[in-house]
Amino acid sequence: MTSDQNGHPFRNGLVNQAGKKRRTSDELPSFLGGYIPVLQNGPSQGRPPSSRLPRRVDWNQIWRRSRGIIGILRSWRPRDLLYIPLALIIVWWVVLWWGEEVVFRRSVEACAWVNWESWNVEPAASTPHHVALIADPQLVDPHTYPGRPWPLSALTIRYTDLYMRKCFQQIQSTLVPASVFFLGDLFDGGREWSTGEGEGGESVDKRWRRYDNGFWLKEYRRFARIFFNTWLRGGQGQSDRKMVVGLPGNHDLGLGNGIRIPVRKRFQAYFGNGNRIDVVGNHTFVSLDTVSLSAKGQPDPATGSQGVDESNNDIWGPVEQFLHTSKGEKARTIARDLRVRHGKNENEIMNNEIIELEEPRSWTIPLNFDPVKNTDIPSIILTHVPLYRAPGTPCGPLRERYPPSKTDSGEAPEKDDANAIAIQQGVQYQNVLTQEISKELVELIGDVSHVFSGDDHDYCDVIHRGYTSKNGGIREVTVKSMSWAMGVRKPGFLLLSLWNPVDEEGKATNQDASKAPTIQTHLCLLPDQLSIFIRYGLLLAFTLVVLFVRAVRIAYGPRPATSNTNGTILPISRTKPFHAKQQDKPSHASSSSTSSQNGLAVRPSAGPRNVTPGSGYGYQPPTVEDETKDESPRGVVVNRAWNDIALDEPSKRKRKGLLAVYDELTSSVLNVGLCAMAWYIWLLWHS
């Protein structure tokens, strides 16, 4: 046990003026390091070991320097919005949300039925039937861009699929059409992929023979994810929904003599027959496989002879047979639909009759009902390849690539080669059908009011006057491609509003209805994906410029002034560095030491002490010469004048000049880029 000069004992600790024992090093919290000062009754005899220096934690400074989320939220102020990287992150979030969500929703919402259909009838009288026509999705594959390198080709496939899926989702959720018809070219290279059936199943082009039937099935699953799955999730509560995708295009099967029978069988096995009749909204939709019918009249590839080639009859023969029986099949289909619509059985119940074997006779199943004739239900032809028209027939003002020309009087000319569909053909493609085939299918189907086609990728609206029709002309609309990779900046689709109320016999319910139009069409344009990417690129360039200017300003601009208070209330003057040379000792000072058994370090005094029995131990007012600052290897700073002990981080020597600009620029670009990319990935994942 030891005591000071006043007789106050202390053990393993300090005793204050009142004689109360102070906490020892063993009782101090761990964050203080277990170091306590020891008061001396005289001046310092030497520098204490740095490992035994006491320190006091400045919590304000630690909290201010923290980089965690809690520190950011705690220290946030409204003016922090002016922080440039944070402002750029917010701008990126808004622009990405607009480009991936808002622009798609607004494009489809602009095509809402109430915005354009006008039947001028009471809503209770009848409900129009809504149809969406989609042309040429033409899924991008190796056949689309054969020379494109892998990263770019993979991104093209990803973004074209994503684009069509988002558009089709908006169609189903916003417009909710009752029926959807596809107009061919579901795939881009579907005709090239081998079927694995030996002769006739392999691709003619050697470049594509390594793409077998398994690759075609992968493409089919892609199509199903984009359209089938989305269709199944939409239109809840509609019982008469219908989706028809069996109409083939030249990229699905080929054209004319280029069609391989195994390829067509594979397509029909998964998508259905290309020749069919559907009664929708009191209108008869007749789908025709015109790419196969085009083989009729083509020259024999072996002999080169013109005329009907019987050697390829297996290509165009089934379509020709369907055409010759289409009027009777159309009448029977209409009759079945009318019976079901009015609560009757689809077919008459047949009488039970026993036929004796001893009395053989020819027996056939009779028709259960007589086909309804001369109805007011018009026919609509769906074909992938457009009908023939005179060269230079204008396509109208809605054509994107070539707007219509103007005459001196300001009217559209009767012949406009730039605005028209070119009359030409090549390997596995033909822009329009031949004049003979076009005339034949219109006459054999009969009562045709409209024709809807695809293949051209752009919009075209013409009136055919040279074909037999009910109202003196057949209107044909060539629908835009839905894919943004098919040469049009703004893809699209076509909406049909069908309103044709009829009675049980298929006659119009009023006299004027038989002469009034029963179909209204509307072209719906989809977002310009390339323009969206351009906006992203411009924003990226703007971001880099702003961050570069900011980095230059930080590297070469004035440095902010630092405070010398270390977060404390009492002022702290700049101190002299501690020298190894020991200061002169006052003559009246005496030294004392603590027992090594107690483990207490010797504390040097900051100056001469005023020792009075009544006032205890104290300091005289310090002077600048008396103020010193001692730095230890552990980063503990001791202000010896005021006994102020604080934590100080080791100073980092920053790079200057262009290196400092580079460091600041890369750090800010990385921060903004990671935040923007995380939001972008989330938008893509949930779209």
Side-chain angles (χ1 to χ4, degrees):
M1 176 174 173
T2 58
S3 62
D4 60 6
Q5 64 181 5
N6 294 327
H8 298 292
F10 58 88
R11 303 172 186 240
N12 299 333
L14 300 179
V15 179
N16 59 11
Q17 300 174 11
K20 297 181 180 180
K21 181 180 179 182
R22 299 178 60 182
R23 300 177 69 177
T24 63
S25 60
D26 297 335
E27 298 173 352
L28 290 178
S30 58
F31 61 79
L32 293 180
Y35 307 131
I36 60 172
V38 179
L39 300 180
Q40 303 295 323
N41 58 0
S44 173
Q45 299 295 327
R47 180 179 178 180
S50 61
S51 62
R52 307 299 291 177
L53 288 176
R55 61 180 177 178
R56 190 180 69 191
V57 178
D58 186 352
W59 292 107
N60 292 332
Q61 185 179 14
I62 294 177
W63 184 263
R64 188 168 54 252
R65 295 182 179 181
S66 65
R67 296 291 186 265
I69 292 296
I70 298 178
I72 295 175
L73 295 177
R74 181 68 178 272
S75 61
W76 183 87
R77 294 165 296 180
R79 66 180 183 181
D80 288 340
L81 289 176
L82 301 178
Y83 182 54
I84 291 178
L86 178 59
L88 289 174
I89 291 173
I90 295 175
V91 171
W92 270 104
W93 284 356
V94 173
V95 172
L96 290 175
W97 177 64
W98 168 85
E100 302 300 324
E101 296 289 342
V102 177
V103 68
F104 286 89
R105 184 175 66 252
R106 289 183 177 177
S107 297
V108 178
E109 287 177 349
C111 303
W113 308 99
V114 296
N115 294 340
W116 56 271
E117 66 175 351
S118 58
W119 292 110
N120 297 324
V121 295
E122 296 181 1
S126 179
T127 302
H129 189 92
H130 295 155
V131 180
L133 299 181
I134 298 176
D136 301 88
Q138 212 159 323
L139 300 187
V140 175
D141 53 33
H143 179 269
T144 310
Y145 305 105
R148 185 164 292 187
W150 166 77
L152 188 57
S153 62
L155 289 176
T156 305
I157 292 174
R158 168 64 181 169
Y159 277 97
T160 52
D161 289 2
L162 183 64
Y163 180 91
M164 289 188 288
R165 181 163 60 87
K166 289 194 292 187
C167 292
F168 199 66
Q169 282 179 347
Q170 290 297 329
I171 294 173
Q172 296 304 312
S173 60
T174 303
L175 302 177
V176 196
S179 301
V180 176
F181 288 86
F182 285 76
L183 300 179
D185 272 359
L186 310 182
F187 303 150
D188 185 69
R191 68 190 180 200
E192 304 292 348
W193 315 142
S194 301
T195 62
E197 297 185 14
E199 185 177 357
E202 293 185 357
S203 176
V204 178
D205 195 330
K206 296 181 179 180
R207 294 179 299 172
W208 316 120
R209 289 185 180 178
R210 62 190 180 95
Y211 297 99
D212 55 5
N213 191 60
F215 186 84
W216 189 93
L217 291 177
K218 292 180 181 179
E219 299 298 290
Y220 175 79
R221 286 190 288 268
R222 280 179 59 196
F223 187 90
R225 287 193 299 268
I226 296 172
F227 297 106
F228 291 163
N229 296 348
T230 307
W231 169 261
L232 294 175
R233 289 193 296 266
Q236 300 297 329
Q238 291 184 346
S239 59
D240 58 344
R241 298 178 73 225
K242 180 177 293 187
M243 184 177 185
V244 181
V245 296
L247 185 68
N250 59 307
H251 282 266
D252 298 317
L253 304 183
L255 183 74
N257 289 330
I259 293 178
R260 294 174 290 149
I261 300 300
V263 173
R264 187 171 68 181
K265 288 181 178 180
R266 178 179 61 187
F267 183 87
Q268 293 177 350
Y270 285 88
F271 292 108
N273 196 337
N275 305 302
R276 56 179 293 157
I277 297 175
D278 298 279
V279 178
V280 174
N282 290 336
H283 291 75
T284 306
F285 285 76
V286 182
S287 301
L288 291 176
D289 179 9
T290 52
V291 294
S292 297
L293 187 62
S294 297
K296 181 181 179 180
Q298 285 190 345
D300 187 354
T303 62
S305 61
Q306 298 288 338
V308 178
D309 182 15
E310 296 295 340
S311 63
N312 61 1
N313 183 59
D314 53 348
I315 297 178
W316 58 268
V319 189
E320 182 78 7
Q321 182 180 2
F322 174 80
L323 281 175
H324 283 281
T325 60
S326 59
K327 286 187 178 179
E329 183 62 30
K330 183 174 63 172
R332 287 188 291 271
T333 304
I334 292 174
R336 293 191 190 98
D337 184 78
L338 291 174
R339 291 178 62 83
V340 172
R341 186 172 302 176
H342 290 86
K344 298 180 181 180
N345 292 325
E346 181 179 355
N347 298 308
E348 291 287 351
I349 300 176
M350 298 180 61
N351 296 327
N352 296 329
E353 182 180 356
I354 300 176
I355 301 176
E356 299 295 339
L357 294 177
E358 290 78 6
E359 186 181 356
R361 61 178 178 174
S362 59
W363 184 82
T364 57
I365 300 177
L367 291 176
N368 299 327
F369 53 85
D370 294 331
V372 180
K373 299 180 180 180
N374 299 323
T375 64
D376 290 328
I377 297 179
S379 298
I380 299 172
I381 295 179
L382 302 181
T383 170
H384 178 69
V385 184
L387 299 184
Y388 178 83
R389 73 283 312 275
T393 303
C395 287
L398 297 180
R399 191 165 178 82
E400 176 184 320
R401 284 177 289 192
Y402 300 102
S405 304
K406 297 291 185 180
T407 60
D408 296 337
S409 60
E411 298 179 356
E414 295 183 359
K415 184 178 181 180
D416 190 351
D417 292 332
N419 184 249
I421 295 178
I423 309 302
Q424 60 186 13
Q425 62 181 8
V427 179
Q428 296 284 31
Y429 81 91
Q430 184 174 311
N431 288 355
V432 296
L433 298 173
T434 62
Q435 189 172 6
E436 294 77 11
I437 291 178
S438 301
K439 184 177 180 180
E440 179 186 15
L441 62 89
V442 170
E443 291 178 350
L444 291 177
I445 292 176
D447 196 21
V448 178
S449 64
H450 285 73
V451 176
F452 297 102
S453 57
D455 185 68
D456 188 65
H457 298 171
D458 205 351
Y459 186 83
C460 186
D461 193 344
V462 299
I463 302 295
H464 296 285
R465 302 293 184 183
Y467 303 118
T468 303
S469 62
K470 184 176 181 179
N471 297 322
I474 298 175
R475 183 191 178 196
E476 179 179 0
V477 177
T478 301
V479 184
K480 264 195 167 188
S481 172
M482 192 182 186
S483 174
W484 66 277
M486 294 298 114
V488 289
R489 290 287 297 270
K490 288 189 175 182
F493 60 97
L494 194 69
L495 295 178
L496 307 181
S497 179
L498 310 178
W499 189 80
N500 184 31
V502 297
D503 57 16
E504 294 185 7
E505 296 181 356
K507 300 294 183 178
T509 56
N510 57 71
Q511 296 180 356
D512 296 333
S514 60
K515 299 180 180 180
T518 60
I519 299 178
Q520 292 182 5
T521 65
H522 180 74
L523 171 63
C524 186
L525 296 178
L526 295 172
D528 184 356
Q529 183 66 62
L530 186 59
S531 177
I532 295 175
F533 286 156
I534 291 175
R535 285 183 173 88
Y536 290 167
L538 293 177
L539 180 58
L540 177 60
F542 174 78
T543 301
L544 294 177
V545 170
V546 171
L547 293 180
F548 176 77
V549 173
R550 173 179 175 272
V552 172
R553 180 177 177 84
I554 292 176
Y556 292 97
R559 297 181 179 274
T562 57
S563 175
N564 60 351
T565 59
N566 291 333
T568 59
I569 299 177
L570 296 177
I572 299 177
S573 302
R574 188 176 63 180
T575 59
K576 296 181 179 180
F578 183 82
H579 298 284
K581 185 177 179 180
Q582 196 169 354
Q583 303 293 332
D584 295 335
K585 302 177 184 179
S587 58
H588 63 278
S590 61
S591 62
S592 63
S593 62
T594 57
S595 174
S596 59
Q597 297 177 356
N598 297 331
L600 300 179
V602 178
R603 163 87 173 153
S605 63
R609 297 185 181 275
N610 183 16
V611 182
T612 57
S615 60
Y617 296 95
Y619 291 109
Q620 293 182 355
T623 61
V624 175
E625 288 76 14
D626 295 329
E627 296 174 355
T628 58
K629 181 171 64 176
D630 194 353
E631 297 184 3
S632 68
R634 295 173 59 104
V636 179
V637 178
V638 181
N639 189 299
R640 299 177 60 191
W642 297 97
N643 195 26
D644 183 21
I645 305 167
L647 293 178
D648 187 20
E649 294 180 356
S651 60
K652 298 180 180 179
R653 185 173 300 175
K654 296 183 178 180
R655 299 196 286 186
K656 299 180 181 179
L658 294 178
L659 294 178
V661 173
Y662 174 79
D663 291 341
E664 185 62 34
L665 180 61
T666 54
S667 176
S668 57
V669 168
L670 185 62
N671 291 334
V672 175
L674 289 178
C675 294
M677 186 58 65
W679 174 242
Y680 184 57
I681 293 175
W682 188 89
L683 289 174
L684 296 181
W685 183 266
H686 290 272
S687 60

